[in-house]
Amino acid sequence: MDEKIAELKEWIAGSDNIVFFGGAGVSTESGIPDFRSVDGLYHQKWKYPPETILSHTFFERMPEEYYRFHRQKLVIDGVQPNRAHKRLAELEAEGKLRAVITQNIDGLHQAAGSKKVLELHGSIWRAYCSRCRKPYPAEQMNHGEGVPRCSCGGVIRPDIVLYEEPLDQDILSEAVHYIRHAEILIVGGTSLNVYPAAGLINYYRGDKLVLINRSETPYDRYADLVIHANIGDVFSQI
Ligand code: CNA
């Protein structure tokens, strides 16, 4: 393990074109559960499975139940960026990291100081009316009660990509651009099970694909360096 981290450190020292692509595992150390770990949301009891609640159809049909889940499970008060978020922000400030591409919706990369953050699945810190698209502050949506409504009568929704909804094409294209031109692509804290996001790795053309994850992923065999460890532990050493 130490040798792998030493190798990664050496690669990072020699590059000014690193791109990071991450998922829910980046934020577990901050106290936000992921989906697929044993203590993740998929293993917690709820009336409906998370992928059902977090779908477009469910949001349209049962916004009350959606909002109960949203406020209890997606919005966690007092969370702070952890060692991985902070080191990524530092690497950007040092001119080494070009972009963070994230599947997360928690805003913790920006809270840590990262500037170029591509949020593939949106953010719970933005809201808009599902009917007239008027933007709203996220506060009432995240901390109020019942279903938040717009002055037009439409339901206010989070600016996140629900299951069954397409990803923002501009963000996706930009992510492809960064990955295609990256010298080092570090992928971390993602099970690489959610498409199309997971497929972005296929655009990488270089020979320094690094995977950092607690458990195995379907892409381990394509990586040039695989580190099965806590991402916070790894980033505090590089
Ligand atoms: P996932 O499928 O739950 O996978 C997370 C992966 O991270 C698993 O393979 C874990 O083994 C691994 N992992 C967990 N903690 C750590 C750690 N400390 N160090 C290293 N590895 C760790 O989540 P993905 O991101 O792959 O799936 C994509 C979904 C999850 C996206 O749509 C997200 O919006 C959604 N999600 C986001 C958040 C968030 O914003 N923080 C939380 C929960 C789910």
Side-chain angles (χ1 to χ4, degrees):
M1 184 64 61
D2 289 349
E3 279 166 32
K4 288 185 177 184
I5 293 174
E7 184 163 20
L8 175 58
K9 204 172 166 175
E10 208 179 300
W11 287 359
I12 289 173
S15 179
D16 65 355
N17 184 5
I18 304 164
V19 170
F20 179 80
F21 172 55
V26 175
S27 294
T28 51
E29 195 174 293
S30 295
I32 304 177
D34 64 6
F35 278 175
R36 290 177 182 80
S37 291
V38 281
D39 53 351
L41 289 179
Y42 283 1
H43 297 268
Q44 297 179 14
K45 284 216 175 6
W46 200 267
K47 224 156 108 195
Y48 306 90
E51 62 269 57
T52 302
I53 302 176
L54 293 170
S55 71
H56 182 83
T57 309
F58 192 94
F59 183 84
E60 297 267 288
R61 291 192 187 150
M62 286 194 254
E64 305 79 13
E65 187 65 18
Y66 170 85
Y67 270 113
R68 237 165 49 79
F69 182 87
H70 179 100
R71 290 175 182 134
Q72 276 189 42
K73 297 292 179 187
L74 301 189
V75 182
I76 300 170
D77 285 327
V79 290
Q80 297 293 332
N82 63 48
R83 298 176 290 173
H85 299 108
K86 288 180 189 162
R87 184 68 187 121
L88 283 163
E90 277 171 18
L91 287 171
E92 183 185 24
E94 289 165 15
K96 305 185 83 55
L97 184 108
R98 303 258 172 119
V100 167
I101 301 164
T102 184
Q103 299 166 83
N104 293 347
I105 53 175
D106 56 32
L108 285 181
H109 285 294
Q110 292 91 334
S114 283
K115 301 282 180 261
K116 190 70 198 172
V117 182
L118 299 175
E119 294 175 315
L120 295 170
H121 295 158
S123 171
I124 56 164
W125 300 109
R126 293 187 300 269
Y128 66 94
C129 171
S130 55
R131 190 188 289 170
C132 72
R133 302 191 71 86
K134 179 179 169 189
Y136 276 86
E139 182 51 31
Q140 206 228 328
M141 173 183 75
N142 288 343
H143 294 102
E145 280 184 23
V147 177
R149 294 220 172 243
C150 175
S151 46
C152 81
V155 173
I156 295 173
R157 59 162 289 170
D159 188 4
I160 61 175
V161 180
L162 296 168
Y163 285 99
E164 305 162 353
E165 293 178 341
L167 268 58
D168 181 307
Q169 283 306 309
D170 292 341
I171 296 176
L172 204 50
S173 304
E174 215 183 336
V176 167
H177 172 85
Y178 276 107
I179 289 177
R180 206 196 282 277
H181 296 100
E183 183 190 4
I184 304 176
L185 177 62
I186 305 177
V187 179
T190 168
S191 65
L192 295 171
N193 267 304
V194 177
Y195 281 83
L200 281 175
I201 294 182
N202 296 317
Y203 289 98
Y204 178 61
R205 297 274 173 272
D207 59 0
K208 292 187 178 73
L209 173 61
V210 184
L211 285 193
I212 307 169
N213 208 54
R214 275 209 293 238
S215 52
E216 276 180 33
T217 79
Y219 283 83
D220 281 11
R221 61 203 170 109
Y222 303 112
D224 302 291
L225 196 58
V226 179
I227 303 178
H228 286 151
N230 272 321
I231 193 156
D233 288 342
V234 177
F235 271 88
S236 59
Q237 294 175 66
I238 57 175

